[in-house]
């Protein structure tokens, strides 16, 4: 029976923890005897989860009622956890599933390990801290009192079917629009004003490309399809990353690439890493490929390459130029669309893995962001 190779397992871990939305992540805990006072969160979840949880988290029961619990030492739930356990009738050996719902909140389901089914009572649990002098924590009890005595001031929780309908109605799934791509109309043959070594020193110099007509560089998948004009730029709307966040992005990318190379047992595997600079993602939109790597793995000449991120792909122009008897290799036509669609920013680090050579080289691109939370870029100076 075939098994997954360790190289693919590394890539799967990357996609799951860094590319999947945080709301796809979940963990389970099997309740032990010492569970009443606090609950320890699995160590792997703490290490891999990309969002930072606040001091107080919200636990959302199956009927959408909420409980506040304190997240202490970055490892466990304490204050408020005992109340959640009591209201939901959680017992030793129960299986509790925590599904992240965003904003330091988790949707929680409780299963009876003996019969493998969800605990029915968890769908009728109420947070009795908001009620007065109660003898039963079930929402059915409160509803019965409301209908017969009319004396209860508590607000009954919605019935499970209504809560489920509300949850479905409020959920938003990403919509992928498959439309004809709007492609780069020009190919910019640069006059070699900058090199990969002095690029930062030239960031403030005027950009003077030499334009010529060429066959359009098509995008397999592009939601923007905008062509940059002279002076066009992307404006960042996120906060500035800290030095620690910048270093972490580079370290994660380096560790990922080295792990892949170790598993492939190829030290010079066809991969390279680039930490993005302003000329890559804010203006000029010229990504210089390391000269030594390009000389070894790419064929000199004008061609297109395919860049893949997950199940999406873009066709981007690969170009080279001669300056002082030295070849420079770079991505330019349609690179701006790739940047915008993937919301790439300065100090993000990318690993490019060449997975197919030939007339149309194909790269898998792995993105390690300096700041995990994405704030959409703003375009300036682009035409449709």
């Amino acid at each position: 029976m075939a098994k997954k190779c360790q190289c693919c397992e590394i890539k799967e871990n990357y996609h799951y923890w860094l590319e999947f939305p945080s709301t796809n992540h979940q963990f389970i805990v099997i309740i032990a005897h010492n569970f009443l006072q606090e609950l320890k969160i699995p160590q792997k979840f703490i290490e891999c989860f990309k969002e930072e949880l606040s001091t107080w988290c919200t636990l959302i029961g199956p009927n959408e009622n909420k409980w506040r619990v304190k997240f202490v030492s970055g490892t466990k739930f304490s204050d408020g956890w005992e109340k959640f356990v009591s209201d939901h009738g959680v017992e030793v050996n129960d299986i509790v599933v925590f599904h992240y719902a965003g904003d330091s909140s988790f949707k929680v389901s409780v299963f009876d390990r003996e019969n493998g089914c969800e605990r029915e009572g968890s769908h009728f649990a109420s947070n009795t801290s908001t009620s007065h002098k109660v003898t039963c924590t079930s929402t059915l009890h409160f509803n019965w009192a409301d209908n017969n005595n009319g004396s209860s001031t508590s607000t009954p929780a919605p019935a499970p079917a209504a809560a489920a309908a509300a949850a479905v109605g409020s959920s938003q799934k990403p919509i992928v629009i498959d439309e004809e791509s709007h492609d780069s109309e020009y190919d910019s043959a640069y006059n070699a004003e900058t090199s990969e070594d002095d690029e930062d020193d030239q960031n403030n110099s005027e950009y003077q490309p030499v334009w010529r007509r060429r066959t359009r560089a098509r995008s397999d998948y592009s939601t923007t399809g905008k062509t940059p004009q002279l002076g066009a730029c992307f404006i960042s709307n996120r906060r500035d990353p800290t030095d620690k966040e910048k270093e972490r992005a580079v370290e994660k990318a380096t560790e990922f690439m080295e792990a892949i190379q170790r598993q492939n047992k190829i030290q010079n595997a066809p991969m390279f890493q680039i930490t993005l600079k302003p000329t890559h993602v804010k203006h000029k939109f010229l990504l210089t490929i390391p000269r030594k790597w390009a000389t070894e793995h790419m064929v000199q000449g004008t061609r297109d390459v395919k860049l893949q991120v997950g199940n999406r792909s873009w066709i981007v122009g690969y170009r080279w130029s001669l300056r002082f008897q030295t070849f420079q290799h770079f991505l330019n036509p349609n690179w701006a669309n790739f940047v915008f669609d993937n919301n790439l920013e300065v100090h993000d680090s990318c690993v490019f893995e060449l997975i197919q050579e030939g007339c149309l080289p194909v790269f898998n691109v792995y993105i390690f962001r300096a700041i995990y939370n994405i704030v959409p870029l703003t375009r300036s100076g682009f035409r449709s």
Side-chain angles (χ1 to χ4, degrees):
M1 182 177 181
K3 295 182 178 180
K4 294 179 182 177
C5 67
Q6 293 183 349
C7 181
C8 287
E9 290 180 352
I10 293 171
K11 295 180 181 180
E12 288 171 352
N13 288 339
Y14 161 87
H15 285 290
Y16 180 81
W17 290 109
L18 294 181
E19 288 197 347
F20 282 16
S22 297
T23 50
N24 281 25
H25 297 154
Q26 56 189 340
F27 65 89
I28 71 166
V29 175
I30 299 176
I31 300 300
H33 288 278
N34 58 345
F35 69 95
L36 278 178
Q37 301 301 322
E38 60 187 28
L39 180 75
K40 190 173 182 180
I41 298 175
Q43 185 64 29
K44 181 175 181 178
F45 186 88
I46 295 297
E47 293 174 353
C48 297
F49 191 59
K50 65 184 180 182
E51 291 197 19
E52 184 176 353
L53 299 177
S54 61
T55 303
W56 286 92
C57 296
T58 301
L59 303 184
I60 306 171
N63 61 0
E64 301 299 315
N65 279 345
K66 299 177 181 179
W67 286 255
R68 296 277 285 172
V69 295
K70 192 172 185 179
F71 180 59
V72 297
S73 305
T75 60
K76 57 188 177 183
F77 294 142
S78 60
D79 299 356
W81 170 248
E82 183 175 358
K83 185 70 173 58
F84 179 87
V85 166
S86 174
D87 290 342
H88 285 79
V90 180
E91 297 179 2
V92 174
N93 291 328
D94 279 357
I95 298 173
V96 184
V97 180
F98 296 79
H99 191 120
Y100 189 68
D103 196 23
S104 293
S105 63
F106 293 84
K107 291 187 176 181
V108 185
S109 301
V110 183
F111 292 83
D112 186 335
R113 191 177 182 184
E114 291 186 3
N115 56 39
C117 294
E118 192 172 10
R119 284 201 174 275
E120 298 89 343
S122 64
H123 282 266
F124 305 96
S126 64
N127 191 340
T128 53
S129 61
T130 61
S131 305
H132 57 89
K133 296 181 180 180
V134 295
T135 57
C136 178
T137 60
S138 173
T139 56
L140 295 180
H141 180 84
F142 287 127
N143 291 341
W144 182 88
D146 287 344
N147 292 333
N148 289 274
N149 299 329
S151 60
S152 175
T153 59
S154 63
T155 302
V168 171
S170 62
S171 63
Q172 296 183 359
K173 296 183 178 180
I175 300 175
V176 178
I177 302 176
D178 185 11
E179 59 182 1
E180 181 179 358
S181 58
H182 300 275
D183 310 323
S184 300
E185 187 174 357
Y186 296 91
D187 169 29
S188 57
Y190 282 78
N191 60 0
E193 286 290 333
T194 62
S195 69
E196 59 185 311
D197 297 324
D198 61 6
E199 184 176 2
D200 281 339
D201 297 333
Q202 300 290 340
N203 283 345
N204 296 323
S205 64
E206 184 178 0
Y207 166 45
Q208 297 179 350
V210 177
W211 299 98
R212 73 169 184 269
R213 288 275 183 176
R214 69 175 295 275
T215 303
R216 293 185 174 188
R218 295 182 300 276
S219 170
D220 279 8
Y221 187 103
S222 175
T223 60
T224 56
K226 303 293 183 178
T227 303
Q229 300 183 78
L230 188 63
C233 66
F234 288 149
I235 301 172
S236 174
N237 296 302
R238 75 174 187 187
R239 64 174 176 81
D240 292 333
T242 64
D243 290 341
K244 185 177 181 180
E245 289 171 329
K246 297 174 188 177
E247 294 171 0
R248 180 192 61 198
V250 176
E251 289 173 358
K252 290 291 186 181
T254 302
E255 291 172 1
F256 173 80
M257 188 167 67
E258 291 178 349
I260 294 295
Q261 290 175 333
R262 282 196 303 270
Q263 295 305 323
N264 286 336
K265 297 181 180 180
I266 303 175
Q267 292 302 316
N268 295 321
M271 306 175 72
F272 64 90
Q273 173 189 347
I274 292 182
T275 300
L276 300 177
K277 302 176 182 178
T279 50
H280 299 155
V281 296
K282 293 187 70 174
H283 54 85
K284 296 188 180 179
F285 306 108
L286 178 76
L287 184 75
T288 305
I289 300 174
R291 185 183 299 116
K292 181 179 179 181
W293 188 95
T295 301
E296 294 177 354
H297 299 284
M298 298 295 290
V299 177
Q300 292 179 358
T302 298
R303 64 178 57 217
D304 289 339
V305 300
K306 178 184 284 189
L307 305 183
Q308 299 182 159
V309 177
N311 60 354
R312 304 168 65 191
S313 63
W314 293 255
I315 300 298
V316 175
Y318 166 76
R319 303 292 180 263
W320 61 280
S321 63
L322 181 64
R323 185 194 186 203
F324 301 130
Q325 298 182 343
T326 302
F327 286 107
Q328 291 183 342
H329 308 258
F330 51 88
L331 301 180
N332 174 230
N334 211 36
W335 167 251
N337 281 342
F338 180 84
V339 169
F340 188 86
D341 288 348
N342 290 282
N343 220 93
L344 299 182
E345 301 227 28
V346 178
H347 302 300
D348 289 347
S349 192
C350 293
V351 173
F352 293 76
E353 179 188 23
L354 180 62
I355 62 171
Q356 177 180 307
E357 297 179 335
C359 296
L360 181 67
V362 180
F363 290 85
N364 279 339
V365 183
Y366 305 93
I367 303 167
F368 297 84
R369 302 184 188 277
I371 298 177
Y372 290 129
N373 292 333
I374 296 175
V375 181
L377 297 165
T378 300
R379 287 191 300 262
S380 175
F382 283 74
R383 68 184 177 202
S384 299

